[in-house]
Amino acid sequence: MKLIHIAAASLFAGMLMSAPARAQTTFNASSWVPPGHLLSANVMVPWMHEVEKATEGRVKFNMLPKAPVGPPQTFDAVKDGIVDLSFTVHGYTPGRFTLTKMTEFGFLGDSAATISVAYQRMFERHLAKLNEHKGVKVIGVFSHGPGQIYSAKGPVVKLADLNQMKVRVGGGVVNDYTKALGANPLLKPSSESFQMLQSGVADGIFFPSESIEAFKLISLLRHGTEIPGGLYNTSFVMMMNEAKFKSLSAADQAAIDKLSGEHFARMVGKAWDVADAAGNDAINKAGVKMQHASASFVADIKSKVDPIEHAWYAEIKGKGLDGAALMKEFRAEIKNVAAGK
């Protein structure tokens, strides 16, 4: 009898060892901003936890300690499988993305959440089908908070104050805006902002308030000018390696899809609004002299930058899109989101 029990136990153990283990897929995630930045700590990390929970642990993430490529190379790194999950700024690769400029124009609103959710809706309705993100799985598109003017030297209260001013910018529409306003744009990733201001290479920067604190620039700046609705915005995309996503089960793909799109855009937009508020507090406490742009200054800015938006209408006409109608719908959608719709 004892031999029978031993044989049965051995058979059971063998069955356990030969049973297939629960399938698990690990995605290598990469962030090119510091670990404490909201995009790392308050967006990527909690979103990855949501996915792990929704897939019951079948999908896992490994956050790399250091980004293996620079910000401008991130899109291709995800597409080619060097990393499996990351984000990029569309304007970091000039000429590659045209449609995404729609969320980079100024005076769209004062909340990253409302702009990002509206942008995601417009992306799904009109932009995704034209496949500018071919080769990656788009998790969501979004914008940072309203971009403002900050100076390491004198105040900026009129167009003449921007004349020949050297301004670090992130590329895209804001690069064209800077030229139109008479300043000299210095196209560099946000991670190089501190060195550029500290060394005097840049006289100022166009940034949302969150980024002034996040990149430790407060001590380098003396003045700031708030533009109602924002001077500009920046278009981002969070993306996943397409082949890795397609290797997942249908159920796990559906779980990720549910946590993508508008859900993701709202999540990142809310996080940015909170960070912008904290950034404003820190800027004010540090004694940076902030002021609101006068109505005449705003009117002068609009007279210089409006032609850039109109030029974009012509740029996308060949893609079968009516730029004026698109922007009218986008601005209406921003108001709908702000109204809770």
Side-chain angles (χ1 to χ4, degrees):
M1 181 68 73
K2 186 174 181 181
L3 291 174
I4 294 174
H5 285 312
I6 292 173
S10 297
L11 177 62
F12 182 64
M15 289 172 62
L16 287 178
M17 291 178 67
S18 62
R22 184 173 65 171
Q24 186 180 97
T25 304
T26 300
F27 285 72
N28 285 322
S30 173
S31 174
W32 43 264
V33 294
H37 190 278
L38 76 94
L39 285 176
S40 300
N42 300 337
V43 175
M44 287 191 75
V45 170
W47 186 81
M48 291 187 295
H49 286 163
E50 285 186 343
V51 171
E52 290 183 359
K53 182 178 180 181
T55 60
E56 299 178 335
R58 291 184 299 275
V59 175
K60 293 282 190 180
F61 294 91
N62 170 43
M63 181 68 91
L64 300 177
K66 182 180 180 181
V69 298
Q73 291 78 43
T74 302
F75 183 90
D76 286 325
V78 174
K79 180 172 68 72
D80 297 337
I82 296 172
V83 296
D84 301 317
L85 178 73
S86 192
F87 58 91
T88 194
V89 172
H90 290 108
Y92 282 176
T93 49
R96 187 167 194 167
F97 300 96
T98 302
L99 305 176
T100 57
K101 290 181 181 179
M102 68 176 297
T103 199
E104 298 178 11
F105 298 118
F107 311 101
L108 292 179
D110 295 311
S111 163
T114 56
I115 295 173
S116 294
V117 171
Y119 179 28
Q120 179 65 38
R121 292 177 182 177
M122 295 295 291
F123 178 81
E124 292 173 7
R125 285 180 206 156
H126 302 290
L127 310 187
K129 61 188 176 185
L130 295 172
N131 208 18
E132 281 195 326
H133 297 84
K134 185 177 181 180
V136 303
K137 160 70 176 175
V138 173
I139 300 301
V141 293
F142 58 98
S143 171
H144 64 36
Q148 309 294 2
I149 300 171
Y150 296 93
S151 171
K153 296 185 176 180
V156 178
V157 296
K158 57 186 183 299
L159 282 182
D161 296 329
L162 287 166
N163 188 41
Q164 299 303 309
M165 182 176 173
K166 295 174 294 183
V167 182
R168 178 270 159 194
V169 296
V173 167
V174 69
N175 191 61
D176 298 328
Y177 273 21
T178 307
K179 293 176 184 176
L181 295 174
N184 296 318
L186 303 174
L187 176 56
K188 292 290 184 180
S190 54
S191 53
E192 296 184 31
S193 300
F194 184 91
Q195 182 180 5
M196 294 177 73
L197 287 168
Q198 186 184 48
S199 65
V201 170
D203 302 319
I205 193 165
F206 294 164
F207 243 170
S209 58
E210 167 277 330
S211 298
I212 298 300
E213 182 179 25
F215 292 100
K216 305 185 186 305
L217 307 180
I218 294 178
S219 64
L220 304 176
L221 298 170
R222 295 174 58 194
H223 297 272
T225 308
E226 293 182 352
I227 310 295
L231 173 65
Y232 76 100
N233 299 283
T234 294
S235 176
F236 292 80
V237 59
M238 182 68 73
M239 57 200 162
M240 183 176 279
N241 177 263
E242 189 173 55
K244 196 75 169 277
F245 173 78
K246 288 182 176 179
S247 73
L248 301 174
S249 68
D252 289 344
Q253 288 183 35
I256 290 174
D257 282 338
K258 188 175 181 180
L259 296 172
S260 300
E262 189 169 322
H263 170 86
F264 179 83
R266 193 178 299 276
M267 176 185 182
V268 65
K270 285 183 175 179
W272 218 305
D273 284 343
V274 170
D276 271 343
N280 278 326
D281 287 344
I283 289 168
N284 291 328
K285 287 178 182 177
V288 177
K289 297 176 182 177
M290 297 296 301
Q291 55 191 310
H292 293 280
S294 67
S296 61
F297 187 24
V298 170
D300 287 341
I301 291 173
K302 287 183 176 180
S303 72
K304 295 291 186 181
V305 303
D306 280 353
I308 295 171
E309 182 175 325
H310 297 156
W312 179 74
Y313 299 167
E315 188 178 1
I316 67 169
K317 189 175 182 179
K319 296 179 181 290
L321 294 173
D322 183 334
L326 199 68
M327 291 307 298
K328 183 178 180 180
E329 182 182 345
F330 184 28
R331 290 185 169 101
E333 195 63 59
I334 291 171
K335 291 181 180 178
N336 286 338
V337 177
K341 298 178 183 179

